[in-house]
Amino acid sequence: MINFITHNPNKFNEVNAIMENNKIKINWIKMEYEEIQADNTDYISEDSCKKLENIVDPPYFIDDTGLYIDELNGFPGPYASYVQETLGNKNIIKLASGSRAYFKTVISFYYEKVYQFTGILNGKISGEEKGENKFGYDPIFIPENYNKTLAEVTLEEKNRISHRSRAINNFISFLIENNIK
Ligand code: ITT
């Protein structure tokens, strides 16, 4: 069985729904792990993934997600977690309402070595917080070709278009090609 390490239940629920649709069973390891400070998500994620080798039984994977806002020159990017806790969505709206932005998810999978799978969702920062599904930046992010925020769509709909689902679908293709269960 493949282990998914995250302390974030929203991530687990989204990923698990896609995995279940593909008849892949994953085991949730709910814990926080060490992350170095750097400006490159791929590198941060690879480093965290390698360091988990002595803590979790492979095969396992992690999900690192960042929000990149054009008008803020890509900020908060890999600092998304810190900025969510300190500034929060209301202040992001004050700084960047209407700006183009994108989410990027990097999945790092440990299976003898680290493999990475990426997914991006383009969109913009809304003018107000909207939606019931209050996961991180979802209430202030309007996906391209939408007129509502990601927090206003169902989990199934988010999984049809999201950064995370794109990365996970690439990951699933790799698992199937290599017959990894
Ligand atoms: P783990 O590291 O334990 O997986 P985390 O919540 O710390 O959980 P990240 O560092 O990847 O995960 O998340 C960075 C921030 O971005 C954090 O504040 C999340 O709430 C937010 N975030 C991640 N994915 C998101 C998504 O799909 N929609 C909205 N916000 C998201």
Side-chain angles (χ1 to χ4, degrees):
M1 176 117 58
I2 300 167
N3 290 314
F4 179 21
I5 306 149
T6 177
H7 82 290
N8 188 318
N10 298 296
K11 281 188 185 177
F12 179 77
N13 290 339
E14 289 179 14
V15 170
N16 195 41
I18 304 168
M19 290 293 186
E20 278 183 345
N21 285 342
N22 287 275
K23 307 213 168 6
I24 298 171
K25 282 211 167 71
I26 56 169
N27 178 44
W28 184 9
I29 302 204
K30 191 174 184 182
M31 61 173 243
E32 288 196 65
Y33 53 83
E34 196 184 319
E35 266 187 20
I36 52 160
Q37 291 259 315
D39 53 16
N40 181 315
T41 323
D42 298 21
Y43 177 69
I44 299 170
S45 184
E46 184 180 359
D47 179 78
S48 308
C49 192
K50 277 187 193 146
K51 286 180 180 155
L52 284 162
E53 195 195 351
N54 300 318
I55 305 170
V56 178
D57 286 337
Y60 61 78
F61 66 99
I62 56 175
D63 165 320
D64 279 286
T65 298
L67 175 69
Y68 299 76
I69 302 175
D70 280 18
E71 264 177 27
L72 306 179
N73 298 328
F75 187 80
Y79 307 104
S81 184
Y82 179 68
V83 168
Q84 178 66 227
E85 281 160 27
T86 50
L87 288 180
N89 286 339
K90 286 201 169 52
N91 283 311
I92 295 285
I93 288 173
K94 278 188 205 154
L95 290 170
S97 165
S99 172
R100 286 178 53 86
Y102 67 92
F103 275 115
K104 178 178 156 189
T105 292
V106 179
I107 298 292
S108 293
F109 175 52
Y110 195 90
Y111 184 73
E112 289 157 9
K113 65 176 194 143
V114 178
Y115 297 87
Q116 293 191 311
F117 309 91
T118 300
I120 282 177
L121 175 64
N122 289 310
K124 66 175 182 191
I125 303 300
S126 63
E128 55 180 322
E129 285 184 86
K130 272 191 171 170
E132 293 299 312
N133 307 323
K134 296 200 184 337
F135 171 14
Y137 297 97
D138 280 354
I140 60 164
F141 186 87
I142 302 177
E144 211 167 50
N145 304 321
Y146 273 66
N147 53 15
K148 53 187 172 186
T149 71
L150 263 188
E152 292 179 283
V153 306
T154 60
L155 184 143
E156 291 70 31
E157 191 169 2
K158 182 174 175 187
N159 271 349
R160 275 199 290 276
I161 59 166
S162 81
H163 40 297
R164 176 162 298 106
S165 68
R166 286 175 181 161
I168 290 292
N169 283 321
N170 292 334
F171 176 33
I172 289 174
S173 301
F174 175 87
L175 292 176
I176 293 170
E177 274 163 29
N178 292 281
N179 199 23
I180 302 168
K181 286 174 192 138

